[in-house]
Amino acid sequence: AQKITQTQPGMFVQEKEAVTLDCTYDTSDPSYGLFWYKQPSSGEMIFLIYQGSYDQQNATEGRYSLNFQKARKSANLVISASQLGDSAMYFCAMRDTQGGSEKLVFGKGTKLTVNP
Amino acid sequence: DTGVSQDPRHKITKRGQNVTFRCDPISEHNRLYWYRQTLGQGPEFLTYFQNEAQLEKSRLLSDRFSAERPKGSFSTLEIQRTEQGDSAMYLCASSYSRGIEETQYFGPGTRLLVL
């Protein structure tokens, strides 16, 4: 069964420093996609970055990068040069094609607090 | 470029009442998803549509829940005879089907409180 594990309920980082948010996943499907979303206190889920299981290189989008280690089934999000506006919940999610499902399966999230 | 919109943003109701939520997807997206998020958890999948066809429903979607997407545009999610356990954030997302890399874009959500 699909499963996403985020082991860090909360993380703190100083403004302008980098931070890594952990995500491990479990699937038996060789084809899958991994996504990270940001959820500010307003509630909207904001798409940040995507990594496909067959992608040879780690995904990057501006200050966000994904440290994808396929053998370890991990897809950690790295945020460089943290800003106060990065304070939010961050969710890792996975989509595979097992059983023809199109849904995203989410982890429980990590609350990131950026300190000035 | 207009994103996914949801209405209402907040809803307070009494136990036993019916409520209906609306979601307007990004215009060119053919898929529409509903998720439910309770406090301290990630979103959980409820159901999804491709165009007007409802193709998948979670076991979380009890008989009191019904969703529609007439004409493959906006969608409604109705909860009948609400219970306190229905209190949650209801999130709508839309996407354009394109294989495993398909990205779902979410709306602002509807926060439901059942008293």
Side-chain angles (χ1 to χ4, degrees):
Chain A
Q2 303 161 301
K3 187 176 180 182
I4 293 285
T5 303
Q6 294 181 256
T7 57
Q8 305 155 316
M11 288 285 286
F12 294 87
V13 66
Q14 287 297 121
E15 196 177 6
K16 299 181 185 178
E17 292 185 350
V19 62
T20 298
L21 306 183
D22 294 343
C23 172
T24 58
Y25 59 91
D26 189 20
T27 179
S28 56
D29 196 326
S31 177
Y32 52 88
L34 296 157
F35 302 80
W36 277 91
Y37 287 85
K38 172 184 178 182
Q39 187 177 43
S41 56
S42 59
E44 183 171 356
M45 299 283 286
I46 301 167
F47 166 70
L48 296 178
I49 194 166
Y50 162 83
Q51 179 83 45
S53 59
Y54 293 120
D55 292 344
Q56 295 297 312
Q57 294 188 329
N58 287 341
T60 60
E61 286 287 348
R63 295 187 298 112
Y64 304 108
S65 60
L66 212 150
N67 183 2
F68 181 46
Q69 298 187 44
K70 194 171 182 177
R72 297 178 63 181
K73 292 191 174 179
S74 74
N76 298 339
L77 177 70
V78 181
I79 305 174
S80 63
S82 297
Q83 301 172 357
L84 296 178
D86 293 335
S87 293
M89 286 292 295
Y90 288 81
F91 290 94
C92 180
M94 177 175 67
R95 178 168 173 272
D96 64 26
T97 55
Q98 280 186 326
S101 177
E102 303 291 347
K103 66 185 179 189
L104 285 174
V105 174
F106 286 84
K108 290 190 174 184
T110 295
K111 183 175 182 179
L112 177 66
T113 302
V114 181
N115 294 317
Chain B
D1 187 19
T2 306
V4 178
S5 61
Q6 292 186 244
D7 183 70
R9 295 291 306 276
H10 303 272
K11 180 71 177 178
I12 300 174
T13 191
K14 292 182 180 179
R15 190 176 52 185
Q17 297 294 305
N18 299 343
V19 294
T20 300
F21 309 141
R22 176 179 170 124
C23 172
D24 287 89
I26 294 171
S27 58
E28 63 268 26
H29 285 179
N30 60 342
R31 286 184 173 170
L32 187 149
Y33 299 79
W34 286 99
Y35 291 83
R36 181 172 69 186
Q37 184 179 24
T38 53
L39 206 59
Q41 303 294 320
E44 294 177 293
F45 170 78
L46 292 178
T47 188
Y48 99 93
F49 294 83
Q50 179 156 313
N51 300 313
E52 66 276 7
Q54 188 173 19
L55 296 186
E56 188 178 354
K57 290 195 288 187
S58 163
R59 279 170 284 185
L60 291 175
L61 210 65
S62 76
D63 291 344
R64 297 184 296 105
F65 287 70
S66 63
E68 294 183 340
R69 192 184 182 197
K71 302 178 183 178
S73 56
F74 71 91
S75 175
T76 58
L77 178 69
E78 181 183 17
I79 309 175
Q80 296 182 325
R81 305 180 304 281
T82 52
E83 301 172 356
Q84 288 183 325
D86 297 331
S87 296
M89 171 81 95
Y90 290 83
L91 292 162
C92 175
S94 72
S95 66
Y96 187 78
S97 53
R98 51 176 299 191
I100 202 67
E101 65 186 270
E102 171 189 326
T103 298
Q104 296 179 23
Y105 294 91
F106 285 79
T110 295
R111 291 185 191 268
L112 173 67
L113 177 61
V114 181
L115 301 175

